[in-house]
């Protein structure tokens, strides 16, 4: 046997009696059998938990909810102007769409390594609820851009059906993603019971809550404004650009 050997010890954090421990309740040690020295080695599983939590937290607590918010409230109000299709308005209205795509794609890109870390390094038997919700969120999240790629033309009969599915499935998966981020943070705190871990986890927890509260508040304000502006639409008239009359043409002919 070598003088230095790596051993993995499993333990229960809440009792010294013989009891089943959590899959993550373990610690690697380096034992020197010649000198009897014992040294704790780096716990790689903790780093995997942190990397997974940061990647998924940024994606599903910040970027993807913000992308959904932009899609819901970023579209400018359209005014019909007969005889003058506004090119400037079309360019302005496309900004929300670009922002929506960029935020969602970056969020999904971050989801890929976060998912790989979970499937490769985590015990599939642990925290069944967090795992099952996570799988559902990932599957639906990657379904959304595929769904968007087959968007019917605006004049197509199925366009309203597609819009309903894409919008409400997207909003539903955003809510599930946020819930699962909270479940993951609670799970992380339960595993380690470390003051330093709890402090770092608490800071991230506060950031997520503050961001969600700000986003929800902005959504409520914009909804109130939108509802308040609805009655005025009945009194709006289409702006018409008058065409040149025959009399105007005659006058122009006389002037020439």
């Amino acid at each position: 046997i070598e003088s230095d050997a790596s051993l993995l010890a499993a333990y229960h954090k809440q009792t010294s009696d013989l009891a089943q421990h959590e899959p993550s309740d373990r610690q690697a040690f380096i034992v020197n059998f010649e000198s009897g020295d014992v040294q704790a080695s780096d716990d790689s599983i903790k780093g995997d938990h942190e990397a997974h939590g940061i990647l998924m937290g940024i994606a599903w607590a910040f970027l993807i909810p913000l992308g959904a918010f932009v899609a819901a409230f970023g579209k400018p109000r359209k005014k019909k102007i007969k005889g003058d299709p506004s090119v400037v308005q079309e360019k302005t209205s496309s900004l929300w769409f670009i922002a929506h795509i960029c935020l969602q794609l970056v969020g999904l890109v971050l989801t890929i390594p976060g998912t790989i870390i979970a499937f490769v390094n985590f015990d599939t038997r642990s925290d069944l609820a967090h795992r099952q919700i996570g799988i559902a969120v990932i599957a639906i999240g990657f379904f959304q851009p595929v769904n968007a790629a087959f968007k019917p033309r605006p004049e197509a009969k199925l366009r309203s059906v597609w819009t309903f599915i894409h919008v409400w499935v997207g909003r539903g998966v955003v809510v599930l993603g946020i819930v699962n981020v909270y479940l993951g943070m609670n799970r992380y705190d339960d595993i380690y019971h470390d003051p330093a871990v709890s402090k770092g986890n608490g800071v991230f927890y506060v950031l997520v809550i503050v961001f969600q509260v700000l986003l929800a508040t902005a959504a409520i304000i914009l909804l109130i404004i939108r509802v308040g502006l609805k009655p005025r639409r009945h009194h709006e008239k289409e702006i018409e650009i008058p065409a040149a009359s025959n009399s105007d043409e005659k006058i122009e002919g006389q002037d020439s």
Side-chain angles (χ1 to χ4, degrees):
I1 189 169
E2 298 180 359
S3 58
D4 286 339
S6 296
L7 300 178
L8 185 63
Y11 55 91
H12 199 288
K13 290 181 177 178
Q14 297 179 351
T15 179
S16 58
D17 297 333
L18 184 63
Q20 183 178 357
H21 62 83
E22 293 290 334
S24 299
D25 291 346
R26 56 190 180 183
Q27 176 66 54
F29 296 92
I30 298 175
V31 180
N32 188 301
F33 286 95
E34 290 182 351
S35 64
D37 293 336
V38 179
Q39 179 182 355
S41 63
D42 293 333
D43 192 358
S44 60
I45 192 68
K46 182 178 178 182
D48 293 334
H49 279 134
E50 291 174 349
H52 171 77
I54 291 172
L55 289 169
M56 299 304 239
I58 292 174
W60 289 97
F62 295 98
L63 295 178
I64 291 178
L66 183 59
F69 176 86
V70 169
F73 300 102
K75 299 178 185 178
R77 295 182 66 197
K78 296 180 180 179
K79 292 183 179 180
K80 295 181 180 179
I81 304 177
K82 285 189 176 180
D84 183 25
S86 176
V87 178
V88 176
Q89 185 182 2
E90 289 179 1
K91 288 183 178 180
T92 303
S93 62
S94 66
L95 292 177
W96 73 267
F97 184 67
I98 295 171
H100 172 67
I101 291 178
C102 290
L103 288 166
Q104 307 305 73
L105 285 181
V106 173
L108 290 177
V109 167
L110 293 178
T111 300
I112 294 173
T115 304
I116 293 173
I117 290 172
F119 274 95
V120 172
N121 299 314
F122 298 164
D123 193 324
T124 57
R125 297 170 298 176
S126 63
D127 200 1
L128 195 59
H130 178 68
R131 182 173 181 270
Q132 289 180 338
I133 294 174
I135 292 173
V137 166
I138 293 165
I140 299 171
F142 280 96
F143 166 76
Q144 284 294 88
V146 175
N147 177 20
F150 294 95
K151 176 172 62 176
R153 294 180 177 274
E155 64 273 10
K157 293 182 179 179
L158 292 176
R159 179 59 180 260
S160 59
V161 177
W162 176 90
T163 301
F164 179 85
I165 293 174
H166 186 76
V167 169
W168 286 104
V169 169
R171 292 173 181 175
V173 76
V174 166
V175 172
L176 276 179
I178 294 171
V179 170
N180 214 33
V181 169
Y182 286 118
L183 291 177
M185 287 190 291
N186 290 335
R187 173 64 179 167
Y188 180 71
D189 211 16
D190 291 339
I191 289 174
Y192 292 102
H193 296 285
D194 186 347
V197 168
S198 299
K199 184 178 180 180
N201 199 29
V203 171
F204 192 77
Y205 206 103
V206 170
L207 289 175
V208 172
I209 291 176
V210 169
F211 181 79
Q212 297 301 329
V213 169
L214 290 175
L215 209 61
T217 303
I220 292 171
I221 293 173
L222 290 173
L223 279 173
I224 293 172
I225 294 174
R226 181 177 292 181
V227 171
L229 292 176
K230 270 188 177 181
R232 298 182 184 180
R233 293 180 182 177
H234 299 290
H235 303 289
E236 289 178 354
K237 294 182 179 180
E238 294 180 348
I239 304 172
E240 297 185 8
I241 299 177
S245 61
N246 294 332
S247 59
D248 293 337
E249 293 176 357
K250 292 179 181 179
I251 293 173
E252 290 178 1
Q254 293 175 359
D255 293 338
S256 60

